[in-house]
Amino acid sequence: MKIYFVRHGESEGNTGPLHQGPDTPLTENGRKQAEFVAERFSDIPIDLIVSSTYERAKETAYIINSLILRPIEYSELFVERRQPSEIVGTPKEGPVSEEIRNLMREKRHTLGWRHSDEENFEDLKKRGLDALDFILSLGRENVLVVTHGLFMRMLIACVILGKEMTSHEYFKIMVSFDTKNTGITMCEYKPAIPNERDNPWHIVAWNDHAHLG
């Protein structure tokens, strides 16, 4: 099984001064990026597209699908990490959001801690593992998943480290693995061979964004 994880195109929240929410759309540049990545998939076998339900991901999936014409399934399993509702739509450099983000960084390894209604590490890890199980349950050979930068890093952390992953291990991956808008990360799932391979997941490519020039 081959899975192509694609980060959505550039959004207004990526370039603007406010923390973005689920309804933030793509920029004009983001739509062009989606067209570029669609061209890359025009010669790659894809059986199904799975997309986050956030607007910027849905737009990206729609643009890709306008060229490759495959079924699309939308799932909240692949949305971006949910931030505290207090900072959504507020200035990224504002005192309130900076105070909350600093506190979240300080407490990021404290088991079960939340500022308010955001996803903490344990929530995000569970969703990442559930998302991988969902992909495997589809029974397709070639799946394209449109998701988000931070959550993609959680997916890859789950691929590498599995259920035993700690918050310290995840945050090392989060800060070291950069993602570009419409970057492609490809994984293969091969059933483990006893005494040869413990992990059936293999990362073939990370953040391939050659289509952006």
Side-chain angles (χ1 to χ4, degrees):
M1 185 178 189
K2 296 179 180 178
I3 303 97
Y4 301 87
F5 295 106
V6 177
R7 185 185 176 194
H8 61 79
E10 179 188 86
S11 69
E12 292 182 2
N14 293 150
T15 59
L18 304 180
H19 287 286
Q20 59 188 338
D23 298 329
T24 307
L26 298 181
T27 63
E28 182 59 34
N29 183 52
R31 287 185 281 274
K32 290 179 181 177
Q33 291 174 339
E35 291 172 359
F36 292 149
V37 79
E39 288 286 346
R40 292 198 67 184
F41 282 105
S42 62
D43 294 322
I44 298 175
I46 296 295
D47 303 314
L48 175 70
I49 299 173
V50 177
S51 173
S52 155
T53 57
Y54 283 10
E55 185 62 28
R56 52 195 182 272
K58 290 167 64 177
E59 278 192 78
T60 303
Y62 177 84
I63 292 170
I64 294 172
N65 197 46
S66 66
L67 184 62
I68 69 173
L69 303 176
R70 293 294 183 268
I72 301 180
E73 185 166 341
Y74 299 99
S75 173
E76 292 191 357
L77 282 171
F78 298 94
V79 302
E80 185 57 293
R81 178 187 179 181
R82 296 179 180 90
Q83 298 292 332
S85 56
E86 298 96 318
I87 69 173
V88 175
T90 66
K92 296 174 184 176
E93 305 303 324
V96 173
S97 62
E98 285 190 358
E99 179 181 352
I100 291 175
R101 292 200 312 273
N102 287 338
L103 183 59
M104 288 173 64
R105 279 192 289 269
E106 178 185 334
K107 299 288 189 177
R108 65 183 181 269
H109 301 305
T110 303
L111 186 65
W113 184 89
R114 291 184 188 82
H115 174 269
S116 57
D117 57 354
E118 78 278 10
E119 286 182 299
N120 61 20
F121 165 73
E122 290 84 9
D123 299 327
L124 201 65
K125 174 182 170 181
K126 181 182 185 304
R127 183 155 66 86
L129 293 168
D130 288 346
L132 294 180
D133 287 342
F134 172 79
I135 291 171
L136 296 179
S137 75
L138 295 171
R140 306 296 183 100
E141 290 187 9
N142 303 285
V143 179
L144 190 162
V145 178
V146 182
T147 185
H148 304 261
L150 190 149
F151 188 62
M152 187 183 299
R153 282 172 277 186
M154 173 54 80
L155 287 168
I156 295 305
C158 289
V159 161
I160 298 170
L161 299 167
K163 296 178 181 180
E164 305 306 316
M165 172 177 52
T166 68
S167 61
H168 289 85
E169 291 170 332
Y170 165 66
F171 280 100
K172 286 180 181 179
I173 289 176
M174 190 186 76
V175 300
S176 300
F177 282 55
D178 289 334
T179 61
K180 297 288 186 182
N181 291 110
T182 68
I184 303 168
T185 294
M186 179 190 171
C187 295
E188 288 185 342
Y189 182 86
K190 300 178 181 179
I193 300 173
N195 302 321
E196 290 187 21
R197 186 186 302 129
D198 293 328
N199 190 349
W201 287 98
H202 303 267
I203 301 172
V204 180
W206 168 260
N207 193 36
D208 180 352
H209 54 281
H211 49 277
L212 299 181

